[in-house]
């Protein structure tokens, strides 16, 4: 402690964190009523035109289903039906693949520069219609307008721009190899980032000269229909991208189709394994981007307030519906009480509400089924003996919502630490040494992401090289960029999307 | 209306259209000797203020994200596309055939699109993480030299001009250009394309008709790190290299014919990059 | 020795600049409308330290400023007065006289404002004179040269002695964040000033660019928060300089409300050091009453 004047300097180390630990229980926590009192600030959606029904997008046109089978897509903020969609049966899947196969003959023979020009056009139109797309995305998926407007849509446009630029440059990406396309790429995408996942799949496939049959998730089939309109506006040749809607059964039909030359899937590890089994014995290359249970490691020499913000972003971004979420917090034991107290304060200012309200931080859970799964896990956590904490934010009366949730007193041997919950639920464990943190971080069949928070450079590189995951964030989290390869180790999948590495999935090298 | 408003051509420096401080002009004529326009000559002082402008703009231009630069280059392609007929007309005035003029403009557009796509990709190809033997994280990545002096005065036409400027911009550098004497009108109008495409002031500076002593000053200027020279006479090459040695300029001699035959290349971008290697320990 | 008087450099946590900027940007996306906006605009007026700190200040200038401070808009006498008037030491007595009967306080800069370069005893004398002349608040500057040369004990000592000279008068310590070089240094300066006795920590003199910014404000508020949880004591914060419009002021209030919460939403713990901000806030407020139409500057008094 440095006291007063030059003469009386005495040095007595006082651990700042220890002091807070001691003082914590006699000082009343700060109160943040502001999150309950902002006036509604709704993004206006009245001008958006949504059809009552949508068919498939095959051969450049919107078409009805052959069987007449349909299903509803629900707006999770209210539980109301947003539109009806066709349920693809075998004949529909066949038509889509056949259209892609036909279009491939011409598309693959265009020069890279020509393909690039189409992709650049698409990127530009996406930018122009960004706000409209963001609103539609919110309404169908439950994510907040602030995130869809500021994160999802800019990335969607950026992915198309990025891969548009590769189309005429493929030979530079693979030195010493002759590059050619594969053929028809079958793609199945999830409900957590509908448009972004569509961009991640379609852009590189097209840039490399392939054609596409893509199936969006059954709870979020709407925004890709708007993307289809954009393909028409950009005069993308018919059949280059075909969209079929449906559930797992449609997906299965697509995966088993004899005329596909590539499969790309993003979704759960469970379904990923099914696909691997289905494709066993065929020569169809596949890339899988699956689940995760990312560890977020906070050392005592981290910048504490920024680390807390990083933890919040890691688990509550997109309502926790993120495969690479930092859903396991590993905090160095000495600072755990301080970090947890800061987390609690921060959670009080998180606004859970209408996704279309510009102030909402945590939107609606994507579906009733997912909300049930999350709530089941919360009950499991409690019954396992972990300590539950939820913020006091009010929830809307209609729709599917979940409060941001923490579990403390958690061990690796809790089910909530092993399972991917895919919701705004964070488990908190402590560790003492870097080795212990690394061991716990790697102690999972998953390997998608990890986070490290420390102010010390050497430590960053030591820890990041030890974590067995495909994406590691140091002093940040949930950052995405089309130039940055993304994908998992172990049961989080195989293959990478984004960057020059992301091209490999869609080319044949000889 | 029969009486056209004739265009006045000016230098483009630091985001502004200005006349030469010398007050002198050069007459541009067509094949038959008729006067097309008076363009400004470029004096030493004009060169000096252009270099200052490039220097000032270089740091913030280099700091822009690669994505942002790509957007700007794509916008250049958009604006050029929209105004193609204007450029074709100006080239024809100076004696290029309709076919050739059209080809040059179309090829230029394709080239800008291609370089727009390179802005965020050349780094992935030419950066490395180096597996050094000690416990260090070691990486090398390209950094723009800053700003480039480009003597294109002996070059001919429009495509060549675009083809040498694009990789400089793509790599995050600013540039000071002596425009090709033949095709100077289209070159000066190109300034308007840069100006309306969100290219920041000072990043591109276009100067017409350099006086002989101004040329020497380009090669001797101590505040220019890199100079590229189009179609330099063999006798001059040695002299320029000797002068440039004074501040160790990176000097390149470029052949227009080679440029016309080739298309976009990341090696052209890398010609205006330095490589920085950084070390950091890996440990606790 | 009170709890507050402990300062140890190793206790200052590191600050991540990119993280701070991201947090500030996210807070800037809050949409403040309707009732909350109206309340906060009025709150902003009541939080203002209406400032004149120019070489050309004269008695006439100060008298007119005092009138504006008490009654910002004569067409709307129901709008609150500002918190304080901030002037150079020679004008303290005059300001005190012309603010009599109102709730507006007199804040005086002191300690060789803005540079801080003067012998310590001169600075202490200056403060004592201001206090004797009736100043309610003293805004002092830290010695930045000493701080940047890591002479923390000296900076601490100066603040402690100035605080002593203030007596009961409320002390604001200006860190001059625009000169400190990094957010880590802003955090150290904040912790140091609070430990040495500051009642308020203030960003800037307004004479150096950049003056107040949202990132330094966030860092200072975080220092205040940590201090609260360590000692239970609430320290105030004042961003000064460069806050010219309502939109910016509201952004600052969002940062305050979501970092320190309800207890700090009061002029006792938060001030804006501003001059041209006042009319912009008035225009926004009157817009509310006037059917939402945009206002013109001619309808607001220039004092």
């Amino acid at each position: 402690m440095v006291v007063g004047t030059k003469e009386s300097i005495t040095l007595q180390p006082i651990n700042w964190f220890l002091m807070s630990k001691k003082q914590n229980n006699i000082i009343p926590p700060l109160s943040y009523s502001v999150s309950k009192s902002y006036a509604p600030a709704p993004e206006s959606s009245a001008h958006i035109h949504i059809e009552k029904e949508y068919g498939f997008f095959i051969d450049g046109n919107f078409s009805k289903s052959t069987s007449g089978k349909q299903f509803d897509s629900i707006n999770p903020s209210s539980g109301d039906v947003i539109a009806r969609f066709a349920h693809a049966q075998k004949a529909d899947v066949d038509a889509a693949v056949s259209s892609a196969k036909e279009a491939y003959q011409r598309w693959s023979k265009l020069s890279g520069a020509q393909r690039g020009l189409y992709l650049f056009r698409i990127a530009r139109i996406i930018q122009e219609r960004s706000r409209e797309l963001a609103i539609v995305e919110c309404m169908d998926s439950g994510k907040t307008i602030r995130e869809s407007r500021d994160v999802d849509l800019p990335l969607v446009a950026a992915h198309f721009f990025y891969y548009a630029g590769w189309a005429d440059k493929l030979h530079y990406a693979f030195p010493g190899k002759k590059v050619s396309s594969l053929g028809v790429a079958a793609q199945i995408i999830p409900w957590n980032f509908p448009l972004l996942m569509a961009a991640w799949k379609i852009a590189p496939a097209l840039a490399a000269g392939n054609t596409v049959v893509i199936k969006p998730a059954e709870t979020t089939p709407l925004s890709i229909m708007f993307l289809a309109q954009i393909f028409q506006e950009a005069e993308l040749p018919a059949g280059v991208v075909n969209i079929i809607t449906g559930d797992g059964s449609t997906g299965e039909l697509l995966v088993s189709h004899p005329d596909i030359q590539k499969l790309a899937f993003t979704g759960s590890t469970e379904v990923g394994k099914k696909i691997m089994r289905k494709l066993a014995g065929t020569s169809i290359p596949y890339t899988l981007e699956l689940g995760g249970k990312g560890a977020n490691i906070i050392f005592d020499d981290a910048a504490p307030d920024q680390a807390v913000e990083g933890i919040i972003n890691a688990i509550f971004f997109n309502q926790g519906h993120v495969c690479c979420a930092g859903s396991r917090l590993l905090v160095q034991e000495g600072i755990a009480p301080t970090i947890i107290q800061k987390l609690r304060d921060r959670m009080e200012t998180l606004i859970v509400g209408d996704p279309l309200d510009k102030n909402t931080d945590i939107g609606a859970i994507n579906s009733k089924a997912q909300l049930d799964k999350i709530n089941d896990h919360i009950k499991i956590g409690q019954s396992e003996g972990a300590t539950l904490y939820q913020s006091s934010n009010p929830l809307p009366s209609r729709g599917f919502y979940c409060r941001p949730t923490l579990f403390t007193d958690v061990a690796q041997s809790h089910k909530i630490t092993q399972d991917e919950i895919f919701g705004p639920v964070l488990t908190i464990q402590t560790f003492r040494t870097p080795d212990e943190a690394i061991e716990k971080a790697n102690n999972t069949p998953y390997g998608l992401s990890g986070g490290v928070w420390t102010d010390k450079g050497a430590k960053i590189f030591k820890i990041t090289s030890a974590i067995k995951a495909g994406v590691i964030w140091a002093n940040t989290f949930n950052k995405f960029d089309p130039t940055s390869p993304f994908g998992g180790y172990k049961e989080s999948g195989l293959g990478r999307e984004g960057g020059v590495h992301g091209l490999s999935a869609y080319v044949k090298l000889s | 209306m029969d009486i056209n408003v004739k265009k006045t051509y000016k230098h483009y420096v630091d985001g502004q259209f200005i006349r030469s401080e010398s007050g002198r002009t050069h007459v541009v004529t067509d094949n038959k000797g008729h006067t097309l326009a008076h363009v400004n000559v470029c004096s030493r002082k004009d060169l000096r203020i252009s270099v200052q402008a490039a220097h000032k703009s270089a740091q913030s231009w280099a700091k822009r994200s690669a994505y942002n630069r790509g957007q700007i280059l794509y916008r250049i392609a958009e604006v050029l596309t929209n105004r193609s007929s204007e450029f074709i007309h100006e080239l024809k005035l100076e004696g290029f055939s309709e076919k050739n003029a059209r080809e040059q403009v179309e090829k230029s557009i394709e080239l800008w699109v291609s370089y727009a796509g390179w802005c965020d990709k050349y780094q992935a190809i030419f950066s490395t993480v180096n597996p050094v033997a000690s416990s260090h994280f070691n990486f090398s990545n390209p950094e723009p030299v800053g700003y480039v002096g480009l003597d294109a005065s002996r070059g001919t036409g429009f495509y060549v001009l675009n083809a040498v400027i694009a990789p400089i911009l793509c790599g995050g550098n600013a540039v000071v250009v002596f425009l090709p004497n033949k095709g100077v009108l289209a070159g000066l109008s190109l300034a308007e394309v840069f100006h309306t495409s969100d290219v920041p002031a000072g990043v591109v500076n276009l100067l017409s008709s350099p006086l002989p002593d101004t040329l020497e000053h380009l090669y001797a200027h101590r505040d220019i790190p890199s100079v590229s020279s189009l179609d330099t006479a063999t006798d001059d090459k040695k002299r320029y290299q000797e002068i440039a040695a004074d501040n160790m300029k990176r000097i390149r001699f470029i052949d227009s014919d080679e440029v016309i035959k080739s298309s976009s290349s990341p090696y052209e971008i890398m010609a205006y990059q330095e490589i920085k290697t950084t070390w950091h320990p890996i440990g606790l | 020795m009170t709890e507050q008087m402990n300062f140890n450099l190793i206790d200052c946590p590191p600050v991540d600049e990119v993280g701070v900027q991201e947090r500030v940007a996210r807070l800037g996306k809050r949409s403040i409308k309707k009732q909350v906006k109206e309340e906060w605009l009025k709150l902003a007026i009541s939080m203002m330290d209406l400032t004149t700190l120019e070489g050309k200040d004269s008695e006439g200038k100060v008298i007119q400023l005092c009138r504006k401070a008490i009654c910002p808009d004569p067409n709307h006498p129901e709008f609150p007065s500002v918190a304080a008037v901030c002037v150079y030491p020679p004008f303290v007595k005059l300001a005190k006289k012309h603010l009599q009967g109102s709730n507006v306080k007199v804040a005086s800069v002191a300690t060789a404002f803005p540079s801080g370069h003067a012998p310590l005893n001169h600075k202490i004398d200056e403060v004592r004179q201001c206090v004797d002349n009736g100043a309610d608040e003293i805004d002092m500057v830290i010695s930045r040269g000493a701080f940047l040369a890591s002479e923390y004990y000296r900076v601490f000592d100066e603040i402690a002695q100035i605080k002593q000279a203030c007596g009961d008068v409320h002390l604001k310590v200006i860190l001059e964040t625009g000169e400190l070089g990094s957010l880590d240094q802003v955090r150290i300066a904040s912790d140091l000033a609070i430990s040495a006795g500051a009642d308020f920590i203030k960003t800037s003199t307004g004479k150096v660019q950049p003056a107040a910014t949202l990132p330094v404000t966030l860092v200072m508020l975080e220092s205040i928060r940590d201090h609260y949880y360590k000692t239970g004591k609430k320290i105030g914060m004042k961003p000064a300089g460069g806050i010219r419009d309502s939109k910016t002021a509201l952004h600052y209030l969002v940062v305050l409300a979501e970092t320190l919460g309800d207890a700090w939403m009061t002029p006792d713990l938060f001030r804006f050091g501003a001059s041209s901000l006042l009319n912009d806030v008035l225009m926004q407020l009157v817009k509310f009453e006037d059917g939402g139409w945009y206002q013109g500057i001619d309808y607001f008094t220039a004092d």
Side-chain angles (χ1 to χ4, degrees):
Chain A
M1 134 179 107
V2 175
V3 180
T5 59
K6 202 169 165 181
E7 287 77 17
S8 60
I9 298 172
T10 50
L11 284 166
Q12 240 181 310
I14 293 179
N15 187 321
W16 174 77
F17 297 109
L18 257 181
M19 284 195 75
S20 341
K21 192 175 179 173
K22 272 193 294 190
Q23 309 290 48
N24 241 351
N25 34 7
I26 43 173
I27 293 171
L30 293 172
S31 122
Y32 300 91
S33 64
V34 69
S35 58
K36 291 120 185 142
S37 63
Y38 288 135
E43 178 76 36
S44 113
S45 59
H47 59 285
I48 307 286
H49 180 70
I50 299 178
E51 304 288 347
K52 288 203 175 57
E53 294 189 350
Y54 286 90
F56 311 119
F57 182 69
I58 297 179
D59 210 29
N61 287 310
F62 289 96
S63 60
K64 284 197 175 329
S65 98
T66 52
S67 66
K69 282 202 158 96
Q70 288 181 312
F71 65 97
D72 290 334
S73 188
I74 308 281
N75 181 336
S77 70
S78 60
D80 295 336
V81 173
I82 199 173
R84 308 212 77 209
F85 291 84
H87 196 306
Q89 309 298 299
K90 184 167 185 318
D92 307 306
V93 178
D94 285 344
V97 175
S98 155
S99 160
K101 187 173 168 184
E102 176 67 37
Y104 175 69
Q105 302 311 314
R106 289 180 302 275
W107 181 250
S108 57
K109 295 197 177 72
L110 291 179
S111 72
Q114 287 170 315
R115 288 197 295 271
L117 285 171
Y118 283 113
L119 290 167
F120 276 117
R121 269 191 198 173
I122 292 166
R124 272 308 214 194
I125 302 172
I126 290 171
Q127 282 182 323
E128 282 166 355
R129 295 180 64 174
S130 228
R131 186 59 61 90
E132 181 193 352
L133 292 169
I135 293 170
V136 165
E137 190 81 313
C138 285
M139 291 171 76
D140 200 27
S141 69
K143 64 172 70 221
T144 63
I145 183 68
R146 204 190 60 225
E147 277 169 11
S148 67
R149 178 195 72 198
D150 294 344
V151 179
D152 291 56
L153 263 300
L155 281 172
V156 172
H159 269 268
F160 275 99
F161 268 111
Y162 180 72
Y163 282 107
W166 269 121
D168 65 334
K169 304 173 175 71
L170 295 174
H171 47 293
Y172 286 101
F174 302 99
K177 288 288 192 185
K178 181 166 169 304
V179 185
S180 49
S181 51
L182 291 166
V184 174
Q187 303 177 326
I188 299 173
I189 54 176
W191 48 259
N192 58 347
F193 293 95
L195 272 176
L196 185 57
M197 293 298 101
W200 279 26
K201 298 281 184 287
I202 295 172
L206 262 48
N210 306 288
T211 54
V212 160
V213 177
I214 184 165
K215 186 195 91 63
E218 67 259 34
T219 59
T220 55
L222 181 60
S223 54
I224 201 172
M225 293 305 167
F226 283 72
L227 194 57
Q229 287 172 16
I230 290 176
F231 294 146
Q232 285 180 324
E233 243 185 89
E235 297 171 308
L236 186 68
V240 172
V241 177
N242 302 277
I243 303 170
I244 46 171
T245 44
D247 61 15
S249 62
T250 307
E252 230 183 290
L253 287 168
L254 186 56
V255 172
S256 343
H257 202 287
D259 278 339
I260 60 170
Q261 282 78 46
K262 157 82 195 175
L263 183 100
F265 171 78
T266 299
S268 70
T269 293
E270 195 194 322
V271 175
K273 289 181 182 174
K274 283 195 183 131
I275 290 175
M276 283 181 85
R277 290 185 196 112
K278 200 87 196 192
L279 294 177
T282 71
S283 55
I284 295 174
Y286 51 86
T287 42
L288 305 171
E289 206 272 276
L290 308 174
K293 189 73 179 176
N296 207 355
I297 305 173
I298 317 285
F299 286 95
D300 66 0
D301 56 1
D305 290 303
Q306 289 77 58
V308 165
E309 197 61 24
I311 299 168
I312 296 283
N313 283 332
I315 186 58
F316 300 131
F317 169 64
N318 206 38
Q319 296 73 250
H321 302 148
V322 189
C323 42
C324 51
S327 47
R328 281 186 293 151
L329 175 60
L330 299 178
V331 59
Q332 193 158 353
E333 198 164 333
I335 51 158
T338 307
I339 296 294
I340 292 168
Q341 169 245 301
K342 283 180 186 287
L343 275 171
R344 288 186 187 158
D345 273 352
R346 178 68 181 92
M347 282 158 75
E348 286 300 307
T349 61
L350 286 173
I351 299 174
V352 184
D354 178 11
L356 277 176
D357 190 308
K358 289 177 259 197
N359 285 325
T360 300
D361 296 309
I362 299 182
I365 302 298
N366 184 258
S367 65
K368 177 92 182 33
Q370 187 59 28
L371 180 59
D372 288 342
K373 279 196 196 131
I374 297 168
N375 284 332
D376 284 346
H377 273 97
I378 292 177
K379 289 199 192 78
I380 290 172
Q382 288 175 295
S383 67
E384 292 186 297
T387 309
L388 171 76
Y389 176 80
Q390 287 185 324
S391 63
S392 67
N393 325 69
L395 295 180
S397 50
R398 294 184 72 211
F400 317 131
Y401 293 93
C402 178
R403 283 198 181 81
T405 305
L406 303 179
F407 275 105
T408 51
D409 303 317
V410 168
Q412 280 295 104
S413 304
H414 278 114
K415 193 147 159 59
I416 52 173
T417 337
Q418 296 299 312
D419 290 355
E420 185 183 31
I421 300 175
F422 225 65
V425 180
L426 177 68
T427 60
I428 304 180
Q429 296 157 267
T430 59
F431 68 88
R432 294 153 302 166
T433 62
D435 280 345
E436 195 184 340
I438 292 166
E439 189 190 33
K440 287 182 153 71
N442 288 336
N443 179 225
T444 162
Y446 291 117
L448 186 53
S449 70
V452 181
W453 297 79
T454 164
D455 208 43
K456 189 169 182 184
K459 197 191 284 189
I460 291 175
F461 299 127
K462 176 100 175 169
I463 308 292
T464 57
S465 30
I467 296 180
K468 299 265 175 283
V471 184
I472 318 255
W473 286 294
N475 291 321
T476 189
F477 212 98
N478 276 339
K479 290 277 174 248
F480 308 97
D481 192 279
T483 62
S484 178
F486 183 94
Y489 285 29
K490 307 193 285 188
E491 290 195 12
S492 289
L494 9 87
R496 294 290 175 269
E497 295 181 279
V500 63
H501 298 80
L503 282 171
S504 335
Y506 290 100
V507 297
K508 188 162 62 195
L509 301 175
S510 48
Chain B
M1 190 167 58
D2 302 4
I3 307 170
N4 292 336
V5 178
K6 285 189 179 267
K7 182 166 175 171
T8 304
Y9 290 86
K10 295 189 183 172
H11 288 326
Y12 179 61
V13 176
D14 203 14
Q16 303 203 304
F17 294 89
I18 59 171
R19 293 198 164 88
S20 168
E21 63 73 43
S22 70
R24 291 173 56 182
T25 56
H26 167 81
V27 177
V28 179
T29 57
D30 66 12
N31 282 346
K32 300 194 177 79
H34 295 138
T35 300
L36 291 172
H38 296 264
V39 301
N40 288 270
V41 306
C42 176
S43 69
R44 280 181 289 165
K45 291 209 179 120
D46 296 327
L47 172 64
R48 189 188 67 186
I49 58 168
S50 301
V51 172
Q52 283 172 342
H55 184 144
K56 207 171 58 167
S57 72
Q59 210 185 33
S60 55
W61 176 239
K63 286 212 175 86
R64 297 274 186 118
S65 71
Y67 180 56
N68 182 234
R69 287 204 302 274
Q71 297 281 286
I72 289 174
L73 265 62
Y74 188 74
R75 181 105 185 119
I76 291 170
E78 282 182 348
V79 174
L80 194 49
T81 302
N82 228 44
R83 299 176 52 169
S84 313
S85 50
E86 218 180 285
F87 288 93
I88 293 169
H89 173 72
E90 271 170 337
L91 288 168
K92 280 165 65 180
L93 283 177
E94 282 195 69
F96 294 91
S97 73
E98 159 91 36
K99 180 167 181 291
N100 180 254
R102 183 168 297 279
E103 214 174 74
Q104 286 196 53
V105 174
E106 281 171 9
K107 251 190 116 182
S108 297
I109 294 167
E110 278 166 26
L111 182 104
W112 281 108
V113 174
S114 192
Y115 275 112
W118 269 122
C119 289
D120 57 1
K121 297 178 181 63
Y122 69 90
Q123 302 85 336
I125 295 173
F126 293 99
S127 300
T128 53
V129 171
N130 308 311
V132 297
S134 51
S135 183
H136 288 89
F137 177 52
N138 177 305
F139 59 100
S140 301
N141 55 288
E143 273 189 11
V145 298
Y147 38 104
V148 178
L150 175 59
D151 177 10
S153 54
R154 287 162 306 278
T156 310
F158 187 68
Y159 174 71
V160 163
L161 175 66
N162 284 275
V164 288
I165 292 179
I168 295 173
L169 251 54
C170 177
N173 298 291
V175 69
V176 174
V177 186
F178 293 153
L179 293 166
N181 289 327
K182 181 100 197 280
V184 67
L185 300 183
L188 288 168
S189 294
L190 186 61
E192 296 164 26
V193 171
F194 293 124
H195 194 69
T196 56
S197 299
D198 295 332
V199 177
V203 171
V204 177
N205 304 278
L206 302 179
L207 302 159
S208 49
S209 204
L211 296 168
D213 73 329
T214 311
L215 270 183
E216 295 267 316
H217 275 273
L218 181 74
Y219 295 94
H221 200 306
R222 276 191 170 170
D223 189 26
I224 299 178
S226 165
V227 168
S228 284
S229 179
L230 231 57
D231 303 331
T232 321
T234 318
D235 296 337
D236 290 332
K237 281 185 188 171
K238 183 161 183 287
R239 198 172 86 253
Y240 290 157
Q241 280 172 318
E242 282 169 353
I243 300 172
D246 182 57
N247 70 322
M248 219 164 271
K249 280 188 187 56
R250 284 87 171 109
I251 187 162
R252 289 182 85 205
F253 295 115
I254 303 176
D255 206 325
S256 286
D257 292 335
E258 293 295 321
V259 173
I260 291 170
K261 276 188 282 185
S262 61
S263 51
S264 78
S265 163
Y267 294 96
E268 285 301 309
I269 304 170
M270 290 305 291
Y272 304 104
Q273 303 287 310
E274 294 286 346
I275 301 288
K276 171 175 284 172
T277 301
T278 309
W279 298 65
H280 196 294
I282 300 174
L284 290 176
Chain C
M1 199 60 63
T2 65
E3 192 76 88
Q4 193 173 339
M5 296 293 271
N6 301 333
F7 172 71
N8 191 342
L9 188 60
I10 65 161
D11 293 338
C12 297
V15 177
D16 183 86
E17 181 185 34
V18 174
V20 168
Q21 285 166 348
E22 289 179 353
R23 178 73 184 125
V24 159
R26 180 165 165 167
L27 286 164
K29 293 184 187 172
R30 287 296 194 216
S31 179
I32 309 296
K33 290 190 185 326
K34 304 196 181 127
Q35 201 188 2
V36 177
K37 186 171 182 181
E38 206 179 340
E39 271 170 35
W40 283 17
L41 287 170
K42 289 186 181 149
L43 183 63
I45 297 177
S46 71
M47 284 171 161
M48 256 182 252
D49 283 1
L50 205 57
T51 304
T52 185
L53 293 169
E54 298 184 317
K56 61 182 182 179
D57 285 341
S58 68
E59 296 201 345
K61 167 69 183 176
V62 172
I63 291 170
Q64 289 166 50
L65 191 74
C66 288
R67 182 62 205 156
K68 178 80 174 172
I70 295 172
C71 181
D73 184 351
N75 293 320
H76 293 90
E78 75 281 10
F79 288 166
S81 307
V82 305
V85 151
C86 188
V87 292
Y88 270 110
F91 300 105
V92 169
K93 250 189 178 155
L94 183 72
K96 198 76 188 165
K97 174 165 165 229
H98 286 271
L99 290 171
Q100 221 161 40
S102 76
N103 292 325
V104 180
K105 303 201 168 58
V106 176
S108 176
V109 297
T111 69
F113 179 98
S115 73
H117 286 304
L120 181 56
N121 57 335
H122 287 196
K123 295 199 262 195
I124 293 174
D125 279 342
E126 193 184 16
V127 169
R128 285 211 183 101
Q129 270 195 26
C130 291
V131 170
D132 290 343
N133 286 340
D136 301 297
E137 306 176 350
I138 299 288
D139 286 23
M140 72 165 281
V141 291
I142 65 167
S143 297
R144 280 89 71 197
F147 180 83
L148 291 171
S150 303
E151 294 176 32
Y152 301 119
Y153 69 85
R154 184 178 138 196
V155 178
F156 182 105
D157 199 41
E158 282 188 359
I159 299 171
Q161 292 203 45
I162 300 289
K163 175 66 181 164
Q164 221 171 19
C166 284
D168 289 330
V169 166
H170 171 119
L171 175 65
K172 299 196 196 88
V173 177
I174 301 173
L175 309 179
E176 196 67 307
T177 53
E179 289 183 338
L180 297 184
S182 73
L183 293 176
D184 283 325
Q185 296 287 69
V186 171
R187 177 63 197 233
I188 294 172
S190 303
D191 285 0
L192 188 153
I194 293 173
S195 315
D199 296 300
F200 254 68
I201 47 176
K202 176 172 165 183
T203 60
S204 335
T205 61
K207 303 299 173 197
V208 156
Q209 286 302 320
T213 65
L214 284 150
V216 308
T217 300
L218 180 61
V219 172
M220 289 164 72
L221 293 176
E222 286 171 352
S223 165
I224 291 171
R225 180 169 61 190
D226 287 340
H227 187 80
Y228 168 73
Y229 276 116
K230 199 156 73 167
T231 64
K233 188 154 193 286
K234 297 189 179 83
I235 303 295
M237 196 263 161
K238 174 175 170 180
I243 305 171
R244 287 192 193 91
D245 56 41
S246 305
K247 191 163 173 211
T248 311
L250 290 172
H251 191 172
Y252 275 87
L253 288 176
V254 170
V255 173
L256 180 65
E258 299 204 23
T259 307
L260 291 173
D262 307 338
W264 265 260
M265 303 293 281
T266 156
D268 293 338
L269 288 171
F270 192 82
R271 299 283 180 84
F272 286 107
S275 38
S276 52
L277 174 63
L278 182 52
N279 274 352
D280 195 82
V281 172
L282 289 170
M283 290 208 286
Q284 291 293 313
L285 260 176
V286 172
K287 175 170 163 258
F288 263 108
E289 314 195 337
D290 235 24
W293 305 122
Y294 295 114
Q295 302 295 310
I297 192 66
D298 286 347
Y299 298 89
F300 298 87
T301 63
D303 267 321

